[in-house]
Amino acid sequence: QKEVEQDPGPLSVPEGAIVSLNCTYSNSAFQYFMWYRQYSRKGPELLMYTYSSGNKEDGRFTAQVDKSSKYISLFIRDSQPSDSATYLCATSGGGYKLSFGAGTTVTVRA
Amino acid sequence: GAVVSQHPSWVICKSGTSVKIECRSLDFQATTMFWYRQFPKQSLMLMATSNEGSKATYEQGVEKDKFLINHASLTLSTLTVTSAHPEDSSFYICSAPDLAGVGYEQFFGPGTRLTVL
């Protein structure tokens, strides 16, 4: 079983829609949760990070963590074509080593 | 955020040759850097942890003699793919945590696309 499971999609939505991305993880020792965005042929860039259960908002992005069910989510409101990318969830037990999900490819149609 | 650069961004080489990829932290020091490879439409696979002044730690299944890692300074780590073969063609990405920041916040380089003919 992979440490982090993520549906690779692809996911296609019309502009302005809410994008919902999810991951599950198996290791209860994971304490830090991150979402990275990766454009084609580029390195990942950090979008959001959380270390506790609950919601965290940053502009159009909301990260949600439910440690009891080992479930993490990312919501993108008012999606734009520029949001088209691959979104990777990642977790950490507190050290520097990250465990990544498979990544979900998102296309926002104009 | 902190900046990590990689050089070259794209390299094509003949089978049997060696290729060196550099990873630099531009505005912070990184005693630890990570090397990943990524195949098309797949996630990042951690290859090894590069430690400044000591030997790298390789993940299970990664050949240490094939992928040589040197972390000679606090801002530079290099990955050398020795005797490259077509199956080594991939996207190689490095990352580094900013020691002055929170440990889990890692910064990634832009990646190096290696094509072995």
Side-chain angles (χ1 to χ4, degrees):
Chain A
Q1 181 189 10
K2 292 182 181 178
E3 288 191 311
V4 182
E5 299 276 0
Q6 182 178 7
D7 185 345
L11 185 63
S12 180
V13 300
E15 184 175 358
I18 295 175
V19 177
S20 174
L21 303 167
N22 308 293
C23 290
T24 58
Y25 62 95
S26 58
N27 191 340
S28 58
F30 287 148
Q31 300 177 46
Y32 300 97
F33 309 92
M34 289 135 277
W35 285 95
Y36 285 86
R37 177 174 62 194
Q38 185 177 24
Y39 291 112
S40 181
R41 298 173 184 254
K42 300 291 185 184
E45 58 176 322
L46 181 65
L47 269 181
M48 302 279 288
Y49 63 85
T50 59
Y51 58 90
S52 60
S53 284
N55 294 352
K56 181 177 181 178
E57 280 193 25
D58 184 1
R60 296 184 295 113
F61 298 91
T62 299
Q64 198 172 71
V65 176
D66 182 346
K67 286 188 176 181
S68 62
S69 59
K70 299 188 180 67
Y71 198 81
I72 56 178
S73 302
L74 177 71
F75 300 97
I76 307 173
R77 293 183 298 280
D78 188 25
S79 57
Q80 304 295 311
S82 58
D83 294 326
S84 298
T86 296
Y87 291 82
L88 299 139
C89 61
T91 64
S92 166
Y96 297 138
K97 191 172 177 180
L98 300 180
S99 295
F100 282 91
T104 301
T105 299
V106 174
T107 300
V108 181
R109 308 185 306 271
Chain B
V3 179
V4 175
S5 70
Q6 278 184 245
H7 178 79
S9 57
W10 198 354
V11 57
I12 301 174
C13 69
K14 293 182 179 180
S15 185
T17 60
S18 294
V19 174
K20 181 185 284 188
I21 302 170
E22 293 184 347
C23 176
R24 292 183 185 273
S25 56
L26 297 185
D27 51 1
F28 67 102
Q29 294 182 331
T31 56
T32 300
M33 290 182 174
F34 298 93
W35 287 96
Y36 299 83
R37 65 187 300 181
Q38 186 177 35
F39 292 106
K41 299 186 186 298
Q42 294 188 26
S43 189
L44 284 76
M45 287 176 43
L46 180 64
M47 298 175 65
T49 303
S50 173
N51 303 297
E52 188 267 336
S54 65
K55 291 183 179 180
T57 305
Y58 291 82
E59 295 299 302
Q60 191 174 7
V62 177
E63 300 174 59
K64 60 180 68 176
D65 294 330
K66 174 100 178 140
F67 298 99
L68 299 179
I69 291 173
N70 185 287
H71 196 147
S73 77
L74 287 173
T75 59
L76 174 64
S77 174
T78 60
L79 168 68
T80 301
V81 183
T82 62
S83 187
H85 289 96
E87 57 266 30
D88 299 322
S89 298
S90 188
F91 194 50
Y92 292 87
I93 308 174
C94 68
S95 74
D98 183 355
L99 299 181
V102 185
Y104 52 78
E105 190 166 4
Q106 286 197 36
F107 299 92
F108 284 81
T112 297
R113 184 161 302 280
L114 170 63
T115 301
V116 185
L117 302 175

